[in-house]
Amino acid sequence: MKPTKSDLPQGTLDLLILKVVALGPVHGYAIAQRLDQVSRGVVQVPQGSLYPALHRLENRGLLAADWKATETGREAKFYRLTREGRKRLETESQSWQRLTEAVGLILNLSEGGAK
Amino acid sequence: MKRWRRLFRRRKQEVELEKELRFHLDQHTADLIAQGLDPEEARRRARLALGGPEQVKEKLRDVRGTRWLGDLGQDLRYAGRIWRQSPGFTLFAVCGLALAIGANTFVFTIVNAALYSTSSIPGIDRLGVIIGIDKAHSAEEPLDTLSYPDYLDFKERLNSLLNLHTGFARLSLAAERNHRVYLCGATRGRPRGDQRHDEQQ
């Protein structure tokens, strides 16, 4: 049996992409793979929305891209983080942390524990 | 500005889109083959996972903001095809439009010349109207005509106020006498007020 996969909450795809790209220049397919591995198949990133997201981020100047050869010698479009992208990643991940902590607190309230 | 530069880069962009997606598909296919799938099935699954390269490209163009251009071109070509398909209807429509536009232009030209064109009269802002009223009949309604001698009198005494024109036929034809005349300084925007000029004989 496959584990049930959750949909990605709205707006989090950009954050995940920024995080993966922050680890070093990487092409689209590798981003898709990494997201898949890291989330252990729990979170499904529809590949069809990966590239529009990448190009959107590039358009906004959060990502930059160069064509470089891969290990196999083929040319691929490698994305990297711009200074602005790095700033965005920081603020976004902080606000994500705050949000999940708050939601976690509420979900962890034991019954009757809330006075 | 940015948009125009993007337009010129459009072809290059399309090529790069194609290249980027092809790379993705090929890599995914290779990985699936490495997992033991036969090439045909691997390629099929890779395409499926990506969600159809054409749809993805469409989405990417949306993001890039060049889609409107392609859509416009498509619409124009479609219109051309439809016209060629039914030449009779096209001819009918074109003739209808031509007639309508022609008629409009014709009417506008006349109306424009007759009503709105003011440049032919010198000192238009000092234009006045002279109206004669017959005292003998003590009627309120003005006379239809003034005599030519009347005109000459006006011209002599009112030089400073008005340049009288003989252009009005009614000024030159009448032979009536013994009426009171109002000189109405009807001006554009700034009425000069009535000035009375009594006792013509």
Side-chain angles (χ1 to χ4, degrees), chain A residues 4-31:
Chain A
T4 46
K5 293 189 175 182
S6 326
D7 284 335
L8 210 53
Q10 197 79 36
T12 47
L13 180 59
D14 287 5
L15 176 60
L16 292 180
I17 290 173
L18 286 178
K19 181 65 191 174
V20 171
V21 175
L23 304 175
V26 68
H27 53 70
Y29 180 62
I31 295 173

Side-chain angles (χ1 to χ4, degrees), chain B residues 1-2 10-11 14 23-24 31 39 66 70 81 95 118-119 121-122 134 139 151 158 161 164 183-185 196:
Chain B
M1 210 38 226
K2 220 171 173 182
R10 185 165 176 247
R11 186 141 298 274
E14 286 287 314
F23 174 81
H24 181 109
D31 281 357
T66 54
R81 274 206 305 279
C95 286
T118 53
S119 58
I121 302 169
D134 196 337
Y151 163 70
L158 300 174
L161 274 178
L164 290 180
L183 173 64
C184 305
R196 202 160 294 186

Side-chain angles (χ1 to χ4, degrees), chain B residues 49-110:
Chain B
L50 192 59
E54 275 313 312
Q55 279 106 303
V56 175
K57 270 196 241 171
E58 198 82 323
K59 271 199 220 165
L60 286 174
R61 286 187 206 112
D62 275 350
V63 170
R64 291 286 182 175
T66 54
R67 184 171 167 187
W68 64 275
L69 193 79
D71 282 358
L72 181 70
Q74 242 176 23
D75 288 349
L76 289 177
R77 279 195 295 278
Y78 177 69
R81 274 206 305 279
I82 295 295
W83 286 349
R84 270 199 301 277
Q85 244 174 44
S86 47
F89 175 75
T90 304
L91 193 72
F92 180 73
V94 168
C95 286
L97 280 171
L99 276 175
I101 294 169
N104 265 302
T105 311
F106 176 69
V107 170
F108 176 76
T109 307
I110 289 174

Side-chain angles (χ1 to χ4, degrees), chain B residues 146-156 171-177 200-201:
Chain B
L146 293 174
S147 67
Y148 187 64
D150 279 344
Y151 163 70
L152 290 179
D153 284 346
F154 286 134
K155 188 168 182 173
E156 196 185 291
L171 271 184
S172 61
L173 284 175
E176 295 243 296
R177 290 291 160 98
Q200 289 287 308
Q201 48 199 24

Side-chain angles (χ1 to χ4, degrees), chain B residues 3 9 18 48 79-80 101 115 142 158 172 184:
Chain B
R3 169 166 278 183
R9 290 198 336 227
E18 175 73 37
L48 215 64
I101 294 169
L115 297 185
L158 300 174
S172 61
C184 305

Side-chain angles (χ1 to χ4, degrees), chain B residues 27-38 42:
Chain B
Q27 287 289 311
H28 199 184
T29 307
D31 281 357
L32 288 174
I33 291 171
Q35 283 169 25
L37 282 171
D38 70 86

